[in-house]
């Protein structure tokens, strides 16, 4: 046994659960059996002391968690980096531990200024198996990602950041043990995908021991490894066997009274005799990256700040507000400066991309956009920037150039010209050609998302349950007013509609609205015109007599008869002109010069000769139809409405009417604030709208 102590423990005379800072403590306040805890600790102490020299620090009366010495800080060689606890309850432990280390002859570092770091609880050193020592470090619940970069810089050591995603495994030492020979034992469900990938990249399959849920829940991974002995609160026979196959002896010593506070063996032991040789040689630079974004608008009342935090965390990063100016009045905007930190440059790009969609603006010194060439027709370079519906600019040779044909889910092609003659436009991936240059990453991309204004309605406005008839009427009244204004200024209204319009008896009203000149283009599929024409010819819609609401004998074949008639005429237009079709939606379109685009699908009967069965062509025709449109009215058509939504830039007023709230919300996910959703029966809605529009036209 070496003369220097290897482990620091703290006598648990004052151990208790007095507050709740992790899920294990919930419901356990004041429930600790002190005598049981003392007995278990004494036993652990004697087990550990038989193997190594253990130093003991006195506890303190008002610090019930101080016995969890693993959280005191991190030791490397003679250096002690004290923790910065996330929760104030444990902060006062720091001076006590620091002075103990000072007295013991360690060099005591300054604690990290304002970023949480919880010591060895979240930082486990592995000396062998890798060319250089590796520090496995946990973040997200307690320690911050930022602290990992700081540790990397201070100690010149390779830090692997692992994100913890289950609050019950809040410290890395609750779910991960570096063993000898580069092996590791861990509980996979405690980590996110990105972190599991990191583990798998660094440790080959036969060197990884994945622990099951029942072992993990009993803190099997919260184990102290001393040479080839693993000391833990619990281990199943299977786990013991697996470890013994690798040459480890397992000693089980129950400390379940401490689990009431969320800690077990490893938490109670701090390794203080830890040397990483060779430190500094082959030092790996931290992959962690950060940048700044700014926000402007109704940050608090619109919940924007929260969404920024959630989006960042979900993608494995961290956001920190560095400056916040709150408006004095509710109609004034607030502003914030945030620092965004991510485990890698790629992740940072991904996060910034998401935040830009929410309205954040990168605020660090701008750079030119990175352009990569297309090397295969119809395929974008891997890191392509994917567009949103919002007006976007890209920076080329110092100039910001606006992107043309804005739409979502496209890439940006840049054609460099002389001086500020460069051009940028959105292109679908399938339309890319070899040699074109594509914007990659998020540098040099600026998205101008209009901030939510006061009084903006939520898209799900009038969602199920709250949409009373009176409210539908009010919405229709407002809509009619807007449509009239668009019509008066010679604007463009496009209607996307599904066959339900006909089934619910709305065809006559939509026909009337078209006749009044409120629709400039109709986007639909094969079914709406089929049933509309069927109704005109036979008075049925899918065989149902709409006036009486009953099925008509033999009516099921009406729709294919309608199709056949149009096929005979050559097209819908010709069928109208030959006088075969005498009324209805399609009739009014033809008579009033309203463009229509029919996009087919696998379930189409016929199809009508006018229906595009080549969907690439159909998409292009839809896209052309919505150019320079002021308003899109989406009537009970999930497929075609969402398809249209995807190609519509921000700034176009979207009104979605559907009986199913999920269609309305799906469209809202695009984030348009110019959108209104109305959850109601579309036949009823069209009836009200036609009445309003004809009144105001009278
Ligand atoms: N109640 C303590 C806390 O939540 C338990 C600490 C356990 N320590 C550990 N290294 N996992 O901070």
């Amino acid at each position: 046994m070496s003369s220097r102590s290897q482990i620091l423990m703290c006598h648990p005379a004052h151990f208790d659960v007095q507050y709740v800072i992790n899920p294990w403590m919930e419901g356990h306040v004041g429930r600790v059996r002190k005598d049981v805890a003392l007995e278990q600790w004494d036993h652990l102490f004697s087990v550990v002391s038989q193997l190594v020299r253990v130093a003991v620090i006195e506890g303190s009366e008002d610090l019930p968690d101080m016995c969890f010495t693993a959280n005191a800080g991190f030791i490397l060689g003679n250096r002690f980096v004290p923790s910065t606890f996330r929760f104030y309850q444990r902060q006062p432990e720091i001076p006590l531990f620091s002075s103990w280390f000072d007295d013991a002859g360690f060099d005591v570092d300054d604690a990290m200024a304002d970023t949480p770091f919880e010591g060895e609880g979240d930082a486990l050193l592995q000396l062998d198996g890798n060319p250089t020592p590796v520090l496995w470090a946990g973040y997200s619940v307690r320690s911050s990602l930022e602290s990992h970069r700081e540790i990397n810089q201070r100690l010149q050591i390779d830090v692997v950041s692992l994100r913890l995603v289950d609050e019950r495994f809040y410290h890395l030492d609750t779910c991960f043990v570096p063993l000898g020979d580069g092996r590791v034992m861990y509980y996979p469900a405690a980590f996110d995908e990105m972190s599991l990938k990191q583990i798998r990249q660094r440790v080959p399959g036969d060197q990884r021991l994945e622990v099951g849920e029942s072992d993990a829940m009993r803190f099997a991974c919260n184990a102290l490894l001393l040479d080839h002995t693993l000391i833990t609160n619990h281990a199943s026979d299977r786990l013991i066997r697996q470890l013994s196959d690798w040459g480890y002896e397992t000693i089980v010593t129950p400390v379940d009274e401490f689990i009431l506070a969320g800690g077990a063996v490893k938490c109670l032991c701090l390794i203080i005799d830890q040397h990483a040789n060779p430190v500094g040689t082959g030092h790996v630079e931290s992959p962690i990256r950060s940048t700044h974004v700014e926000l402007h608008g109704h940050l608090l009342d619109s919940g924007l700040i929260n969404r920024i935090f959630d989006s960042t965390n979900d993608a494995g990063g961290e956001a920190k507000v560095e400056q916040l100016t709150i408006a004095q009045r509710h109609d004034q905007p607030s502003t914030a400066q945030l620092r965004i930190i991510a485990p890698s440059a790629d992740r940072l790009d991904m996060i910034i991309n998401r935040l830009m969609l929410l309205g954040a603006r990168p605020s660090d010194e701008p750079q030119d956009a990175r352009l990569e060439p297309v090397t295969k027709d119809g395929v974008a370079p891997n890191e392509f920037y994917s567009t949103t519906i919002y007006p976007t600019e890209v920076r080329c040779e110092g100039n910001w150039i606006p992107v043309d044909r804005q739409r979502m889910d496209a890439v940006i092609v840049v054609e460099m010209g002389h001086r500020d003659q460069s051009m940028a436009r959105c292109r679908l991936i399938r339309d890319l050609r070899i040699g074109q240059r594509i914007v990659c990453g998020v540098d040099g991309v600026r998205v101008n998302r209009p901030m939510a204004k006061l009084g903006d309605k939520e898209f799900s406005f009038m969602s199920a349950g709250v949409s009373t008839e009176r409210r539908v009427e009010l919405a229709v009244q407002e809509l009619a007013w807007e449509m009239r204004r668009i019509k008066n200024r010679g604007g463009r209204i496009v209607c996307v509609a599904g066959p339900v319009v006909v089934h619910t008896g709305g065809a006559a009203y939509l026909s009337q609205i078209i006749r009044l000149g409120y629709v400039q283009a109709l986007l639909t599929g094969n079914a709406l015109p089929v049933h509309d024409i069927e109704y005109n010819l036979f008075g049925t819609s899918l065989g149902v007599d709409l006036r009486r609401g009953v099925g008509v004998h033999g009516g099921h074949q009406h729709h294919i008869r309608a199709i056949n008639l149009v096929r005979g005429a050559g097209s819908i237009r010709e069928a109208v002109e030959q006088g075969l079709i005498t009324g209805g939606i399609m009739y009014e379109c033809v008579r009033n010069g309203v463009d229509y685009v029919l996009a087919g699908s696998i379930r189409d009967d016929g199809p009508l000769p006018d229906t595009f069965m080549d969907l690439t062509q159909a998409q292009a025709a839809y896209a052309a139809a919505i150019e320079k449109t002021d308003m899109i009215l989406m009537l009970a058509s999930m497929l075609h409405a969402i398809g249209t939504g995807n190609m519509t830039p921000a700034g176009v007023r979207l009104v979605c009417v559907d009986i199913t709230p999920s269609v309305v919300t799906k469209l809202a996910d695009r984030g348009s604030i110019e959108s209104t959703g109305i959850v109601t029966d579309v036949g009823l809605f069209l009836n009200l709208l036609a009445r309003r529009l004809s009144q105001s036209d009278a």
Side-chain angles (χ1 to χ4, degrees), residues 22-153:
N22 71 50
W24 301 93
M25 300 172 96
E26 199 104 39
H28 293 150
V29 173
R31 293 260 166 96
V32 169
R33 292 169 300 171
K34 302 271 166 69
D35 49 335
V36 178
L38 282 179
E39 220 173 279
Q40 292 182 338
W41 188 88
D42 282 341
H43 189 256
L44 173 65
F45 176 79
S46 73
V47 170
V48 179
S49 314
Q50 268 158 39
L51 297 165
V52 292
R53 191 177 290 273
V54 181
V56 176
I57 179 176
E58 284 308 305
S60 167
E61 207 181 340
D62 33 302
L63 296 173
D65 271 334
M66 187 164 161
C67 55
F68 299 114
T69 51
N71 300 121
F74 183 75
I75 296 97
L76 191 67
N78 206 47
R79 205 158 158 193
F80 172 68
V81 182
S83 287
T84 301
F85 281 102
R86 183 168 291 264
F87 298 110
Y88 72 88
Q89 288 95 334
R90 293 196 66 184
Q91 279 293 356
E93 295 176 29
I94 297 310
L96 304 183
F97 280 116
S98 291
S99 69
W100 187 91
F101 278 92
D102 196 29
D103 293 346
F106 285 81
D107 301 325
V108 178
D109 259 40
D110 287 334
M112 294 184 199
D114 39 29
T115 199
F117 169 64
E118 300 208 346
E120 231 174 72
D122 269 325
L124 299 165
L125 193 63
Q126 187 163 39
L127 296 174
D128 54 359
N130 276 289
T132 53
V134 164
L135 186 67
W136 299 98
Y139 76 97
S140 184
V141 189
R142 290 293 189 86
S143 300
S144 67
L145 191 55
E146 200 170 7
S147 74
H148 294 183
R149 181 154 66 173
E150 178 104 17
I151 282 285
N152 164 277
Q153 278 160 6

Side-chain angles (χ1 to χ4, degrees), residues 296-597:
H296 187 80
H298 292 276
L299 308 183
L300 304 179
D301 28 0
S302 69
L304 182 61
I305 283 254
N306 288 340
R307 267 180 291 149
I308 297 272
F309 273 109
D310 290 348
S311 271
T312 309
N313 293 345
D314 286 351
E318 283 170 359
K320 199 160 154 183
V321 178
E322 288 191 336
Q323 225 183 67
L324 181 63
T325 320
I326 303 286
Q328 312 237 294
R329 288 197 326 251
H330 81 130
D331 55 346
Q332 293 173 329
S334 304
T335 56
Q337 252 291 342
L338 271 74
R339 202 153 85 85
I340 307 295
I341 169 157
S344 66
D346 278 3
R347 272 287 146 159
L348 189 61
D349 274 2
M350 176 180 145
I351 294 169
I352 298 302
N353 210 330
R354 290 193 192 180
L355 300 191
M356 290 202 299
L357 191 54
L358 291 173
R361 258 176 175 246
S363 57
D364 284 350
E365 192 56 40
Q367 292 174 17
D368 274 354
R370 178 158 65 88
L371 301 179
E372 301 276 347
V374 172
T375 54
K376 188 173 179 186
D377 281 349
V379 182
N382 263 335
E383 285 161 33
F384 68 86
Y385 169 81
S386 144
T387 62
T388 67
I389 60 173
Y390 304 109
T392 302
E393 292 165 295
V394 291
R395 193 169 180 274
C396 297
E397 294 175 329
N399 298 312
W400 287 102
I401 47 182
V403 177
D404 197 24
R405 314 233 158 186
Q406 195 62 45
R407 57 162 292 156
M408 70 188 273
D409 299 337
V411 301
I412 300 174
V413 176
V414 174
E415 277 166 38
M416 296 294 266
H418 286 303
R419 271 177 286 158
D420 42 11
Q421 296 300 299
S422 300
M423 297 230 309
R425 65 176 287 184
C426 286
R427 279 239 163 235
L428 293 178
I429 288 177
R430 64 168 180 251
D431 294 330
L432 294 178
R433 291 296 164 260
I434 290 187
Q436 284 178 326
R437 304 218 296 156
I438 307 303
V439 175
C440 288
V442 292
D443 284 341
V445 178
R446 193 155 82 179
V447 177
N448 298 302
R449 172 169 181 178
M451 277 292 165
K453 293 186 298 291
L454 231 77
D456 274 340
K457 282 176 226 123
E458 268 289 295
F459 191 73
S460 57
F461 167 57
M462 302 227 174
S463 54
V466 290
S467 103
T468 61
E469 239 145 272
R470 180 67 192 138
R471 292 193 64 183
V472 175
E473 257 175 49
L474 287 173
V476 166
Q477 190 179 322
E478 247 176 69
L479 179 62
W481 181 78
E482 279 181 62
M483 288 174 74
R484 193 174 159 76
R485 281 167 39 111
I486 294 175
K487 183 183 158 192
N488 289 347
R489 65 166 189 261
R492 183 173 174 84
I493 300 175
V494 170
C495 179
V496 183
V500 174
V501 166
V502 182
H503 303 325
T504 55
Y509 307 113
L510 182 54
S511 304
Q512 189 183 352
I513 294 168
I514 294 172
R515 214 162 38 236
L516 292 170
Y518 283 99
V519 178
Q520 277 62 54
L522 173 69
L523 306 184
T524 182
N526 187 67
L528 178 137
V530 169
H531 298 301
D532 170 59
I533 294 166
E534 171 193 344
Y535 179 57
N536 178 250
L537 298 175
F538 306 101
T540 61
S541 169
L542 253 190
V544 173
D545 182 326
L546 286 186
R547 271 171 292 259
R548 293 180 300 137
V550 292
V552 174
H553 187 69
H556 69 276
Q557 27 163 297
H558 287 170
H559 75 285
I560 55 163
R561 294 198 176 279
I563 292 167
N564 193 51
L565 177 125
V566 177
R567 292 183 72 87
S571 69
I572 295 173
R573 182 173 306 281
E574 279 163 297
V576 170
E577 273 156 12
Q578 291 166 26
L580 302 172
I581 300 171
T582 54
I585 299 170
M586 300 316 295
Y587 172 88
E588 295 299 347
C589 283
V590 172
R591 284 283 175 248
N592 294 282
V594 172
D595 300 327
Y596 50 88
V597 183

